[in-house]
Amino acid sequence: MRATPEQDELRAAVRKLLERTEGGAAWGPLTGQIGVAGLAVPEEYGGAGGGARDVYVVMEELGRALSPVPFLGSSVLAAGALLTSGDRGACGRLLPALADGRSVGTLAWAEQGSWEPEAIRAEAVRKARGGWRISGVKDHVLDGGGESGTQLLLVAARSEGGVTLFEVPVGGAGVQREALVTMDQTRCQARWLFADAEARPVGADGDGERVLRHVRDLSCAALAAEQTGAAGRCLELTVQHVLQRVQFGRPIGSFQAVKHRLADAYVLVESARSAALGAARAADEDPAALPRLAAVAASVCAEAYAVVAGEMIQLHGGIGITWEHDAHRYFKRAHGAGQLFGSAAVHRARLAADIGLPLQGTDAVGEVGDVDTADAAV
């Protein structure tokens, strides 16, 4: 699946910008100069009218640079949820600011470490005098943090009609944000607590489960691209190191055992790239195949990245475990990203269910075993 000339130019522009602008400071130029925030937003809402393949390009480059910008939470989760809801009024009101980067949005969704709609316990109640109120707790919410803090908060809660999507004022009464201390310090997360907080429905009452399932697939495809880019960068840095480090009078990259490990890592990276591109293509061209291919990408890319990041540390030797080297950052991002939207085991369970095969060891809400969500705050 070859990239278009426009996608090649997009990749080059994003990479060049990330090389000269570090950290969260890159968000302003990425949105203002390149327009990444509106890539997948239709032109009628102020976006570029692109698709998942364009998102793939940006996410791969962001993963390569371990960039902390809020593209995944705002441009994939929040914008994707609005578009999937089919609520033209909400889209017309909220998407233009997301598309040009004036607003950073997020989707508060997971509860108790699970991204399955069945796990949602946050409650939405319609008041007698009109309006809605939400009470509950949302974990692992991706947001901008720092100067790019969240301005648009979408919350999935359970009403009498079923799971429904709501817009909740960030600074409203009964709304509290708690920053999470995460293993991966390059991805900002928060816990949001709601106590009879004012809310405004987005989309139809009870349609939230459909919205969340589709948004999860889009997010898995985007995250797979990030994991592929990061794994590829791990391999690049490791190859550079083994060609420069000399032991016994020769570069360690010339030893057969090291070559074997690097060859295996290369196969993993290319396999991950194929899986991630397959999911992106499905999102653009074959929506019926997206749930299966997104689950494949989520499983394959998470495990490939974890293995390659581990090899990076091993083959760098002592420097690979120092704070000064980037190896530990890639390793932490690999294991943190591997839990977002469900672990690899959860997505394999989705695949098994899709083809009618039972998979033991997965509980009713789609998580494997008992996970301390504070310690695994991905």
Side-chain angles (χ1 to χ4, degrees), residues 173-370:
V175 179
Q176 181 181 354
R177 176 189 179 275
E178 295 180 351
L180 292 178
V181 178
T182 58
M183 176 178 64
D184 173 16
Q185 296 178 337
T186 65
R187 189 176 329 262
C188 185
Q189 293 187 36
R191 173 181 293 114
W192 288 82
L193 300 91
F194 307 97
D196 202 35
E198 179 185 353
R200 180 175 183 175
V202 174
D205 186 22
D207 191 41
E209 183 169 337
R210 178 192 65 84
V211 173
L212 292 180
R213 292 194 185 282
H214 184 64
V215 171
R216 177 177 61 181
D217 292 335
L218 294 177
S219 302
C220 285
L223 185 61
E226 177 192 276
Q227 291 166 326
T228 298
R233 183 57 175 163
C234 288
L235 181 58
E236 289 176 17
L237 293 172
T238 305
V239 169
Q240 293 173 11
H241 177 76
V242 300
L243 292 177
Q244 296 171 358
R245 183 182 176 191
V246 175
Q247 290 290 322
F248 307 107
R250 54 192 286 197
I252 63 172
S254 66
F255 295 117
Q256 196 68 29
V258 174
K259 291 180 179 180
H260 286 166
R261 294 173 72 169
L262 291 174
D264 289 343
Y266 176 79
V267 170
L268 288 173
V269 171
E270 292 305 309
S271 298
R273 182 168 287 115
S274 294
L277 282 170
R281 184 204 63 80
D284 283 339
E285 303 173 10
D286 190 4
L290 176 59
R292 182 176 297 187
L293 292 178
V296 169
S299 176
V300 170
C301 297
E303 294 190 337
Y305 182 17
V307 171
V308 176
E311 288 285 32
M312 180 187 189
I313 289 177
Q314 291 288 325
L315 292 176
H316 271 76
I319 194 175
I321 59 172
T322 62
W323 189 260
E324 289 77 10
H325 197 277
D326 283 339
H328 75 96
R329 296 181 176 87
Y330 284 95
F331 186 80
K332 291 172 181 176
R333 172 68 72 91
H335 287 272
Q339 298 299 317
L340 276 179
F341 317 128
S343 66
V346 166
H347 293 293
R348 285 195 293 270
R350 292 175 58 199
L351 287 171
D354 186 56
I355 61 177
L357 293 177
L359 187 65
Q360 297 180 352
T362 304
D363 65 25
V365 296
E367 290 299 321
V368 177
D370 294 325

